[in-house]
Structure formats: C-alpha cells, structure tokens
Amino acid sequence: VILYFVAQKFKVEEDPRIDTVESILPGANCGGCGKPGCRGFAEATVKATSLDGLFCPVGGAETMTKVAAALGMEVTVQTPQIAVVRCNGTCDHRQRTSQYDGYKSCAIEHSLYRGETDCTFGCLGCGDCVTACPFDAIHMDENGLPVVSEEKCVACGACVKACPRNLIDLIPYEQKITVKCRSTEKGKAVMAACEIGCIGCKKCEKTCPNGAITVDNFCAHIDYSKCTNCGACKEVCPRHIIQ
C-alpha cells in the first residue's frame, strides 16, 4: 500500500503522443537517428518544435511524413543515403608485411599496431562493420574487403561508427562516384604501401567541371552537393581509385 501511494505521488506523466510516434517507427532500435532507440527518437520528436535535424534512416521519408502528420508538423524531405567503403586495397594491391595473430577485431588491431600492411589507413578486414550492421547489409568479400548491399542498406550509420579507421561514409543514394582511398600520406609513401592509393596528384580536381572534387591533405574528396556523376574525375585518375 505504501509503495502504491509513493508510486502515485512520484509518477511521471508521459505525453501520449510518444506512444503514437513510436508505433509509427519501424522498431529497429538501431540508433541511426542519433537517439537511444525508437522510444528515444519518439520522445525527441514530441518535445521538439521542429523536425529539422530529426530523421529515421530506416523508415525514410515515408515514415517521417507519418510522424509529422501525427504531430501536426511539417517535415523536409531528405535524400536517401547509402554506406560506401572508401578502400579498395585488396591483398593484390597491398603487400602484407606482418601477420596479426590476436582477437579478430578491427578496433583492437587498430589500437595495437599499424596493421598487416604498410598502409595505416586501409581496411583491416576483421569485419567490425559486418558485426555492427543490424540489417545484414554488409559482408566481407573474397578479397577481405567489406561490400555494402544496395538493397539492404538503410544508412543507419552503425558501420560508420564501428570502423576505427573512418573508412565508411554515408553518401546520397543516387551518387555513383566514390573515392576508394582515405590515405593522407604523401605520394611516395602511398605508392610504396599500395598500388592504387591516392597520391594527391590533383588531376581529378583540375578536371572536374563542377568543382565537386578537391584534394585535401593528399587525398581526394567529393562534394556531393556539386557532383553530377559525369565521371570526368574517374577517367583521369592515374591510380584508378575513383570508381
């Protein structure tokens, strides 16, 4: 009886709209929205005065439209995204100089030493991104590199957070041009470590008619708000890392 009265006295009333919004969400609890699960996202949307900056990557635009309708708000349509792996350094392209014999984890291997090759920026191949993906959308291929499934990826960002070398980006789904390298070493060091690493020659930067690709710290980066998928950068890349 005492516990009942204490519970009633300190009971926290919740906005019933939280349950409504949560019922609309896909229930993946992936954290891709930046909140602690779907319940946390529902609470954030109810408390917010605007849905700007709030987006459920799993449910996409359709789900957000329903959430906005339930809350009497407007929502800005966001471009669908997909994860891309910015490394193509297979064993054929990166010579193995040592062998890792510890627990199979990219995070642990990355914290212990430079890796099995002389490239300190490339994929370690232990599959932390595969383990982190709650949608079975990324797998290791026969070359030991992660491959993203276009059909399954919902751009939740779990793989992005799991990669200790920041090799996975979320880009607009319609974009087809990506730079498959993240090395910031100078050209000579890159050429010694990997046959196809970016050497920062800036040919892509000079060729792009839209100014969408720039070389910063010896590595090419694409501004997807400017890229038109023309492929001009890909044609002039001497290392074939723009694909």
Side-chain angles (χ1 to χ4, degrees):
V1 172
I2 293 173
L3 290 176
Y4 172 78
F5 282 108
V6 170
Q8 292 300 310
K9 181 175 179 61
F10 294 100
K11 182 171 63 175
V12 177
E13 297 290 344
E14 277 195 337
D15 192 321
R17 294 180 300 169
I18 295 176
D19 291 329
T20 302
V21 173
E22 185 179 16
S23 67
I24 296 172
L25 299 174
N29 290 311
C30 62
C33 58
K35 307 299 178 183
C38 292
R39 184 73 179 181
F41 182 75
E43 292 176 354
T45 57
V46 170
K47 294 177 181 178
T49 56
S50 168
L51 292 179
D52 293 343
L54 293 169
F55 185 73
C56 172
V58 180
E62 182 180 353
T63 294
M64 289 308 299
T65 300
K66 293 179 180 178
V67 170
L71 298 176
M73 297 182 181
E74 293 184 356
V75 62
T76 302
V77 177
Q78 296 193 29
T79 304
Q81 293 183 310
I82 188 171
V84 293
V85 181
R86 289 191 56 178
C87 179
N88 199 30
T90 64
C91 294
D92 295 334
H93 297 138
R94 287 188 293 162
Q95 183 178 358
R96 179 175 289 178
T97 55
S98 63
Q99 184 172 353
Y100 176 67
D101 193 26
Y103 182 76
K104 195 171 179 63
S105 164
C106 296
I108 294 177
E109 183 175 346
H110 176 69
S111 66
L112 292 176
Y113 79 132
R114 63 189 293 130
E116 295 185 333
T117 71
D118 287 335
C119 177
T120 59
F121 299 88
C123 179
L124 294 166
C126 293
D128 285 18
C129 52
V130 176
T131 304
C133 181
F135 301 99
D136 193 35
I138 186 166
H139 296 90
M140 305 302 290
D141 65 9
E142 64 276 7
N143 295 312
L145 290 176
V147 177
V148 178
S149 169
E150 292 188 8
E151 293 76 22
K152 294 182 179 181
C153 180
V154 298
C156 69
C159 57
V160 177
K161 297 174 184 176
C163 181
R165 292 196 164 177
N166 300 316
L167 288 174
I168 306 178
D169 288 342
L170 295 179
I171 70 170
Y173 186 86
E174 297 301 324
Q175 292 292 341
K176 303 301 179 185
I177 305 295
T178 58
V179 179
K180 293 287 188 174
C181 183
R182 203 103 199 205
S183 175
T184 56
E185 294 275 13
K186 293 183 178 180
K188 184 177 180 180
V190 172
M191 294 176 73
C194 181
E195 294 180 358
I196 58 171
C198 181
I199 57 176
C201 66
K202 294 192 176 184
K203 285 188 176 182
C204 53
E205 180 179 302
K206 296 174 182 177
T207 303
C208 180
N210 305 300
I213 187 166
T214 55
V215 176
D216 179 40
N217 202 15
F218 305 104
C219 188
H221 301 278
I222 297 175
D223 182 346
Y224 289 104
S225 66
K226 298 178 181 178
C227 181
T228 60
N229 288 319
C230 70
C233 54
K234 173 188 174 184
E235 298 301 323
V236 299
C237 179
R239 305 284 285 178
H240 307 293
I241 55 122
I242 303 178
Q243 300 176 2

